[in-house]
Amino acid sequence: MKIHHIPCLEDNYSYLIIDESTKEAAAVDPVEPEKVLNVAQQHGVVLKLVLTTHHHWDHAGGNEKLRQLVPGIKVYGGSKDNVKGCTDIVDNGDKISLGADISILALHTPCHTNGHISYYVTGKEGEDPAVFTGDTLFVAGCGKFFEGTAEQMHQSLCVTLASLPKPTRVYCGHEYTVKNLQFAVTVEPENVKLQQKLSWAQQQRKAGLPTIPSTIEEEMETNPFIRVDLPEIQEKVGCDSAVEAIHEIRKRKDNWRG
């Protein structure tokens, strides 16, 4: 299993997931279809399917055009999300296969949108899995609660995604990492791993390099939103429960002008 990131628009990421033995590929959120198709052609692969994380235009806006460019391509999207250009709807627990060795599991991770899907992808034995989290989980952050509640985001992050194997690589929908980490430091100023990751992320960006992938393990160590089950995090933000804490931290992030 090979994964290529494709920077799109201002700060979006689309992705190409390649099954190496069959040269079949899936595109995640191909908002700039020509660009994604070009990358697929450069790698000599055939695009078989699209995985759409949610209905927002900067993720789903390329689906219809890609269907014109690749007749017969399957476009997957969440059943509750009314995804543009969708041919096949998925619900939590649905499985999709790609090529000979890749299995894709749909995880319903609502809040940013009601029908948001994260895609958990496994390849051959011995390969680290990957999860494509759209705008639910970012590196050191999470999406705005546009259509859902703090309870839903807590469930999506701290139950659904946090239960994935620790080495799982996290590929999110935007390059927001430096800002997210700068904010995270205001929540946990003494978290050394957080400071180290911030200085690494700043160096990556200065060099014009991406900060993805992260891993579930790194997120559990540095992302305040996924750490809200820890009593010390709740205490820091003056809350008595994980759900209250995630609500409070999101409110602070929405008002933060770092």
Side-chain angles (χ1 to χ4, degrees):
M1 173 167 76
K2 272 254 174 12
I3 296 166
H4 297 280
H5 75 282
I6 304 165
C8 292
L9 307 176
E10 270 184 42
D11 53 31
N12 278 69
Y13 284 127
S14 297
Y15 297 97
L16 202 58
I17 308 166
I18 299 172
D19 178 70
E20 291 173 280
S21 58
T22 60
K23 296 288 184 194
E24 292 184 354
V28 181
D29 291 347
V31 63
E32 292 190 51
E34 290 92 347
K35 189 186 270 192
V36 171
L37 206 47
N38 198 20
V39 173
Q41 284 160 354
Q42 285 167 17
H43 291 284
V45 299
V46 179
L47 266 186
K48 287 289 188 182
L49 50 104
V50 168
L51 305 173
T52 314
T53 59
H54 62 295
H55 69 78
H56 290 159
W57 76 270
D58 60 324
H59 296 262
N63 289 352
E64 289 173 339
K65 177 72 174 170
L66 195 57
R67 281 179 61 187
Q68 290 169 11
L69 296 169
V70 186
I73 195 168
K74 286 190 162 187
V75 177
Y76 292 89
S79 65
K80 297 179 176 71
D81 230 30
N82 194 23
V83 166
K84 246 193 176 156
C86 183
T87 63
D88 292 70
I89 59 170
V90 285
D91 284 302
N92 190 59
D94 286 350
K95 286 188 174 156
I96 304 160
S97 60
L98 174 67
D101 299 309
I102 294 177
S103 181
I104 301 159
L105 175 66
L107 300 172
H108 184 216
T109 51
C111 180
H112 185 70
T113 68
N114 288 327
H116 194 296
I117 299 286
S118 296
Y119 295 94
Y120 176 66
V121 183
T122 50
K124 283 182 176 167
E125 207 176 320
E127 287 186 311
D128 285 336
V131 64
F132 295 84
T133 57
D135 288 2
T136 292
L137 173 64
F138 293 125
V139 182
C142 72
K144 290 187 175 182
F145 301 2
F146 284 136
E147 296 179 14
T149 62
E151 285 84 358
Q152 283 180 314
M153 189 57 91
H154 177 260
Q155 178 78 22
S156 293
L157 294 183
C158 306
V159 181
T160 305
L161 294 172
S163 66
L164 297 176
K166 283 185 173 175
T168 303
R169 294 168 285 168
V170 175
Y171 293 93
C172 58
H174 293 268
E175 183 56 72
Y176 290 162
T177 305
V178 169
K179 285 275 186 232
N180 285 346
L181 287 162
Q182 286 169 337
F183 169 76
V185 169
T186 69
V187 179
E188 281 192 278
E190 68 301 316
N191 183 330
V192 176
K193 286 195 165 145
L194 195 44
Q195 294 160 6
Q196 289 168 341
K197 185 142 187 184
L198 173 57
S199 93
W200 170 84
Q202 286 169 326
Q203 285 168 342
Q204 288 289 105
R205 296 310 292 153
K206 268 191 196 134
L209 297 169
T211 60
I212 44 94
S214 181
T215 64
I216 291 294
E217 182 169 30
E218 282 180 43
E219 293 309 299
M220 303 290 281
E221 293 170 343
T222 56
N223 186 330
F225 295 96
I226 212 168
R227 288 167 61 77
V228 291
D229 285 329
L230 299 170
E232 59 266 34
I233 300 289
Q234 295 171 25
E235 199 179 310
K236 278 181 198 304
V237 294
C239 294
D240 297 324
S241 73
V243 171
E244 273 179 46
I246 206 167
H247 175 78
E248 174 62 25
I249 297 170
R250 183 67 255 175
K251 194 170 78 181
R252 290 186 186 189
K253 177 75 162 63
D254 290 343
N255 295 321
W256 182 69
R257 294 289 171 265

